[in-house]
PDB file of all heavy atoms in Angstrom:
ATOM      1  N   LEU Q  87    -109.051  32.165   4.138  1.00 98.00           N
ATOM      2  CA  LEU Q  87    -109.178  33.025   2.994  1.00 98.00           C
ATOM      3  C   LEU Q  87    -110.535  32.826   2.260  1.00 98.00           C
ATOM      4  O   LEU Q  87    -110.936  33.627   1.446  1.00 98.00           O
ATOM      5  CB  LEU Q  87    -108.054  32.832   1.997  1.00 98.00           C
ATOM      6  CG  LEU Q  87    -106.643  33.077   2.581  1.00 98.00           C
ATOM      7  CD1 LEU Q  87    -105.615  32.741   1.543  1.00 98.00           C
ATOM      8  CD2 LEU Q  87    -106.493  34.545   2.996  1.00 98.00           C
ATOM      9  N   SER Q  88    -111.271  31.764   2.622  1.00 96.00           N
ATOM     10  CA  SER Q  88    -112.577  31.470   2.063  1.00 96.00           C
ATOM     11  C   SER Q  88    -112.710  31.509   0.541  1.00 96.00           C
ATOM     12  O   SER Q  88    -113.523  32.333   0.013  1.00 96.00           O
ATOM     13  CB  SER Q  88    -113.602  32.369   2.720  1.00 96.00           C
ATOM     14  OG  SER Q  88    -113.621  32.162   4.119  1.00 96.00           O
ATOM     15  N   PRO Q  89    -111.860  30.838  -0.142  1.00 98.00           N
ATOM     16  CA  PRO Q  89    -111.850  30.898  -1.629  1.00 98.00           C
ATOM     17  C   PRO Q  89    -112.999  29.991  -2.177  1.00 98.00           C
ATOM     18  O   PRO Q  89    -113.679  29.282  -1.454  1.00 98.00           O
ATOM     19  CB  PRO Q  89    -110.538  30.377  -2.104  1.00 98.00           C
ATOM     20  CG  PRO Q  89    -110.219  29.317  -1.038  1.00 98.00           C
ATOM     21  CD  PRO Q  89    -110.780  29.923   0.257  1.00 98.00           C
ATOM     22  N   ASP Q  90    -113.212  30.062  -3.545  1.00 98.00           N
ATOM     23  CA  ASP Q  90    -114.079  29.170  -4.192  1.00 98.00           C
ATOM     24  C   ASP Q  90    -113.364  27.834  -4.609  1.00 98.00           C
ATOM     25  O   ASP Q  90    -114.040  26.845  -4.671  1.00 98.00           O
ATOM     26  CB  ASP Q  90    -114.607  29.840  -5.471  1.00 98.00           C
ATOM     27  CG  ASP Q  90    -115.418  31.117  -5.131  1.00 98.00           C
ATOM     28  OD1 ASP Q  90    -116.419  30.973  -4.446  1.00 98.00           O
ATOM     29  OD2 ASP Q  90    -114.935  32.184  -5.532  1.00 98.00           O
ATOM     30  N   PHE Q  91    -112.064  27.962  -4.829  1.00 98.00           N
ATOM     31  CA  PHE Q  91    -111.278  26.782  -5.239  1.00 98.00           C
ATOM     32  C   PHE Q  91    -109.923  26.863  -4.636  1.00 98.00           C
ATOM     33  O   PHE Q  91    -109.416  27.954  -4.282  1.00 98.00           O
ATOM     34  CB  PHE Q  91    -111.135  26.747  -6.760  1.00 98.00           C
ATOM     35  CG  PHE Q  91    -112.416  26.522  -7.529  1.00 98.00           C
ATOM     36  CD1 PHE Q  91    -113.178  27.641  -7.937  1.00 98.00           C
ATOM     37  CD2 PHE Q  91    -112.792  25.263  -7.930  1.00 98.00           C
ATOM     38  CE1 PHE Q  91    -114.337  27.451  -8.680  1.00 98.00           C
ATOM     39  CE2 PHE Q  91    -113.974  25.080  -8.630  1.00 98.00           C
ATOM     40  CZ  PHE Q  91    -114.784  26.129  -9.057  1.00 98.00           C
ATOM     41  N   PHE Q  92    -109.339  25.651  -4.446  1.00 98.00           N
ATOM     42  CA  PHE Q  92    -107.926  25.510  -4.118  1.00 98.00           C
ATOM     43  C   PHE Q  92    -107.240  24.871  -5.311  1.00 98.00           C
ATOM     44  O   PHE Q  92    -107.866  23.993  -5.992  1.00 98.00           O
ATOM     45  CB  PHE Q  92    -107.756  24.658  -2.847  1.00 98.00           C
ATOM     46  CG  PHE Q  92    -108.401  25.221  -1.586  1.00 98.00           C
ATOM     47  CD1 PHE Q  92    -109.674  24.782  -1.267  1.00 98.00           C
ATOM     48  CD2 PHE Q  92    -107.730  26.165  -0.826  1.00 98.00           C
ATOM     49  CE1 PHE Q  92    -110.333  25.336  -0.127  1.00 98.00           C
ATOM     50  CE2 PHE Q  92    -108.320  26.706   0.304  1.00 98.00           C
ATOM     51  CZ  PHE Q  92    -109.613  26.285   0.673  1.00 98.00           C
ATOM     52  N   LEU Q  93    -105.949  25.136  -5.482  1.00 98.00           N
ATOM     53  CA  LEU Q  93    -105.126  24.482  -6.464  1.00 98.00           C
ATOM     54  C   LEU Q  93    -103.905  23.889  -5.779  1.00 98.00           C
ATOM     55  O   LEU Q  93    -103.138  24.683  -5.195  1.00 98.00           O
ATOM     56  CB  LEU Q  93    -104.690  25.433  -7.566  1.00 98.00           C
ATOM     57  CG  LEU Q  93    -103.882  24.738  -8.676  1.00 98.00           C
ATOM     58  CD1 LEU Q  93    -104.829  23.993  -9.689  1.00 98.00           C
ATOM     59  CD2 LEU Q  93    -102.937  25.635  -9.435  1.00 98.00           C
ATOM     60  N   TRP Q  94    -103.794  22.567  -5.811  1.00 98.00           N
ATOM     61  CA  TRP Q  94    -102.487  22.010  -5.412  1.00 98.00           C
ATOM     62  C   TRP Q  94    -101.550  22.190  -6.614  1.00 98.00           C
ATOM     63  O   TRP Q  94    -101.888  21.875  -7.803  1.00 98.00           O
ATOM     64  CB  TRP Q  94    -102.643  20.453  -5.300  1.00 98.00           C
ATOM     65  CG  TRP Q  94    -103.327  20.001  -4.019  1.00 98.00           C
ATOM     66  CD1 TRP Q  94    -103.823  20.725  -2.993  1.00 98.00           C
ATOM     67  CD2 TRP Q  94    -103.603  18.604  -3.770  1.00 98.00           C
ATOM     68  NE1 TRP Q  94    -104.398  19.919  -2.084  1.00 98.00           N
ATOM     69  CE2 TRP Q  94    -104.305  18.546  -2.571  1.00 98.00           C
ATOM     70  CE3 TRP Q  94    -103.373  17.458  -4.420  1.00 98.00           C
ATOM     71  CZ2 TRP Q  94    -104.733  17.435  -1.952  1.00 98.00           C
ATOM     72  CZ3 TRP Q  94    -103.809  16.271  -3.891  1.00 98.00           C
ATOM     73  CH2 TRP Q  94    -104.472  16.241  -2.651  1.00 98.00           C
ATOM     74  N   LEU Q  95    -100.348  22.679  -6.329  1.00 98.00           N
ATOM     75  CA  LEU Q  95     -99.331  22.853  -7.384  1.00 98.00           C
ATOM     76  C   LEU Q  95     -97.938  22.485  -6.819  1.00 98.00           C
ATOM     77  O   LEU Q  95     -97.485  23.017  -5.873  1.00 98.00           O
ATOM     78  CB  LEU Q  95     -99.283  24.306  -7.893  1.00 98.00           C
ATOM     79  CG  LEU Q  95     -98.329  24.548  -9.032  1.00 98.00           C
ATOM     80  CD1 LEU Q  95     -98.739  23.841 -10.341  1.00 98.00           C
ATOM     81  CD2 LEU Q  95     -98.153  26.057  -9.287  1.00 98.00           C
ATOM     82  N   ASN Q  96     -97.327  21.499  -7.471  1.00 98.00           N
ATOM     83  CA  ASN Q  96     -95.975  21.173  -7.166  1.00 98.00           C
ATOM     84  C   ASN Q  96     -95.074  22.307  -7.543  1.00 98.00           C
ATOM     85  O   ASN Q  96     -95.200  22.927  -8.642  1.00 98.00           O
ATOM     86  CB  ASN Q  96     -95.462  19.863  -7.871  1.00 98.00           C
ATOM     87  CG  ASN Q  96     -95.547  18.708  -6.987  1.00 98.00           C
ATOM     88  OD1 ASN Q  96     -96.345  18.642  -6.132  1.00 98.00           O
ATOM     89  ND2 ASN Q  96     -94.687  17.722  -7.303  1.00 98.00           N
ATOM     90  N   ASP Q  97     -94.011  22.561  -6.771  1.00 97.00           N
ATOM     91  CA  ASP Q  97     -93.185  23.683  -7.061  1.00 97.00           C
ATOM     92  C   ASP Q  97     -92.212  23.456  -8.249  1.00 97.00           C
ATOM     93  O   ASP Q  97     -91.541  24.396  -8.673  1.00 97.00           O
ATOM     94  CB  ASP Q  97     -92.326  24.098  -5.831  1.00 97.00           C
ATOM     95  CG  ASP Q  97     -91.222  23.158  -5.478  1.00 97.00           C
ATOM     96  OD1 ASP Q  97     -91.434  21.935  -5.606  1.00 97.00           O
ATOM     97  OD2 ASP Q  97     -90.153  23.607  -5.119  1.00 97.00           O
ATOM     98  N   ASP Q  98     -92.190  22.233  -8.797  1.00 97.00           N
ATOM     99  CA  ASP Q  98     -91.460  21.970 -10.033  1.00 97.00           C
ATOM    100  C   ASP Q  98     -92.309  21.787 -11.190  1.00 97.00           C
ATOM    101  O   ASP Q  98     -91.890  21.264 -12.227  1.00 97.00           O
ATOM    102  CB  ASP Q  98     -90.500  20.800  -9.820  1.00 97.00           C
ATOM    103  CG  ASP Q  98     -91.293  19.485  -9.494  1.00 97.00           C
ATOM    104  OD1 ASP Q  98     -92.491  19.545  -9.161  1.00 97.00           O
ATOM    105  OD2 ASP Q  98     -90.629  18.437  -9.588  1.00 97.00           O
ATOM    106  N   THR Q  99     -93.622  22.145 -11.132  1.00 98.00           N
ATOM    107  CA  THR Q  99     -94.550  22.039 -12.199  1.00 98.00           C
ATOM    108  C   THR Q  99     -94.752  23.433 -12.831  1.00 98.00           C
ATOM    109  O   THR Q  99     -95.465  24.266 -12.268  1.00 98.00           O
ATOM    110  CB  THR Q  99     -95.902  21.399 -11.775  1.00 98.00           C
ATOM    111  OG1 THR Q  99     -95.656  20.085 -11.175  1.00 98.00           O
ATOM    112  CG2 THR Q  99     -96.803  21.177 -12.918  1.00 98.00           C
ATOM    113  N   THR Q 100     -94.141  23.616 -13.979  1.00 98.00           N
ATOM    114  CA  THR Q 100     -94.320  24.915 -14.683  1.00 98.00           C
ATOM    115  C   THR Q 100     -95.406  24.824 -15.656  1.00 98.00           C
ATOM    116  O   THR Q 100     -95.239  24.208 -16.729  1.00 98.00           O
ATOM    117  CB  THR Q 100     -92.970  25.317 -15.347  1.00 98.00           C
ATOM    118  OG1 THR Q 100     -91.937  25.389 -14.371  1.00 98.00           O
ATOM    119  CG2 THR Q 100     -93.098  26.636 -16.038  1.00 98.00           C
ATOM    120  N   LEU Q 101     -96.513  25.469 -15.393  1.00 98.00           N
ATOM    121  CA  LEU Q 101     -97.722  25.237 -16.200  1.00 98.00           C
ATOM    122  C   LEU Q 101     -97.729  26.051 -17.493  1.00 98.00           C
ATOM    123  O   LEU Q 101     -97.063  27.150 -17.561  1.00 98.00           O
ATOM    124  CB  LEU Q 101     -98.954  25.764 -15.369  1.00 98.00           C
ATOM    125  CG  LEU Q 101     -99.253  25.009 -14.076  1.00 98.00           C
ATOM    126  CD1 LEU Q 101    -100.277  25.650 -13.257  1.00 98.00           C
ATOM    127  CD2 LEU Q 101     -99.591  23.528 -14.346  1.00 98.00           C
ATOM    128  N   ARG Q 102     -98.338  25.473 -18.451  1.00 98.00           N
ATOM    129  CA  ARG Q 102     -98.466  26.137 -19.830  1.00 98.00           C
ATOM    130  C   ARG Q 102     -99.508  27.311 -19.618  1.00 98.00           C
ATOM    131  O   ARG Q 102    -100.303  27.319 -18.730  1.00 98.00           O
ATOM    132  CB  ARG Q 102     -98.900  25.179 -20.857  1.00 98.00           C
ATOM    133  CG  ARG Q 102    -100.286  24.576 -20.610  1.00 98.00           C
ATOM    134  CD  ARG Q 102    -100.844  23.870 -21.837  1.00 98.00           C
ATOM    135  NE  ARG Q 102    -102.063  23.184 -21.509  1.00 98.00           N
ATOM    136  CZ  ARG Q 102    -103.248  23.660 -21.368  1.00 98.00           C
ATOM    137  NH1 ARG Q 102    -103.410  25.024 -21.548  1.00 98.00           N
ATOM    138  NH2 ARG Q 102    -104.287  22.912 -21.147  1.00 98.00           N
ATOM    139  N   PRO Q 103     -99.495  28.251 -20.609  1.00 98.00           N
ATOM    140  CA  PRO Q 103    -100.503  29.304 -20.574  1.00 98.00           C
ATOM    141  C   PRO Q 103    -101.924  28.713 -20.634  1.00 98.00           C
ATOM    142  O   PRO Q 103    -102.147  27.711 -21.370  1.00 98.00           O
ATOM    143  CB  PRO Q 103    -100.209  30.054 -21.860  1.00 98.00           C
ATOM    144  CG  PRO Q 103     -98.724  29.895 -22.036  1.00 98.00           C
ATOM    145  CD  PRO Q 103     -98.450  28.485 -21.598  1.00 98.00           C
ATOM    146  N   SER Q 104    -102.824  29.285 -19.889  1.00 98.00           N
ATOM    147  CA  SER Q 104    -104.248  28.888 -19.811  1.00 98.00           C
ATOM    148  C   SER Q 104    -104.477  27.541 -19.162  1.00 98.00           C
ATOM    149  O   SER Q 104    -105.628  27.063 -19.115  1.00 98.00           O
ATOM    150  CB  SER Q 104    -104.893  28.972 -21.195  1.00 98.00           C
ATOM    151  OG  SER Q 104    -104.888  30.285 -21.668  1.00 98.00           O
TER     152      SER Q 104
END
Side-chain angles (χ1 to χ4, degrees):
L87 301 175
S88 300
D90 301 296
F91 294 89
F92 299 95
L93 182 83
W94 287 356
L95 182 66
N96 260 30
D97 74 320
D98 62 344
T99 302
T100 301
L101 298 171
R102 63 165 172 81
S104 296

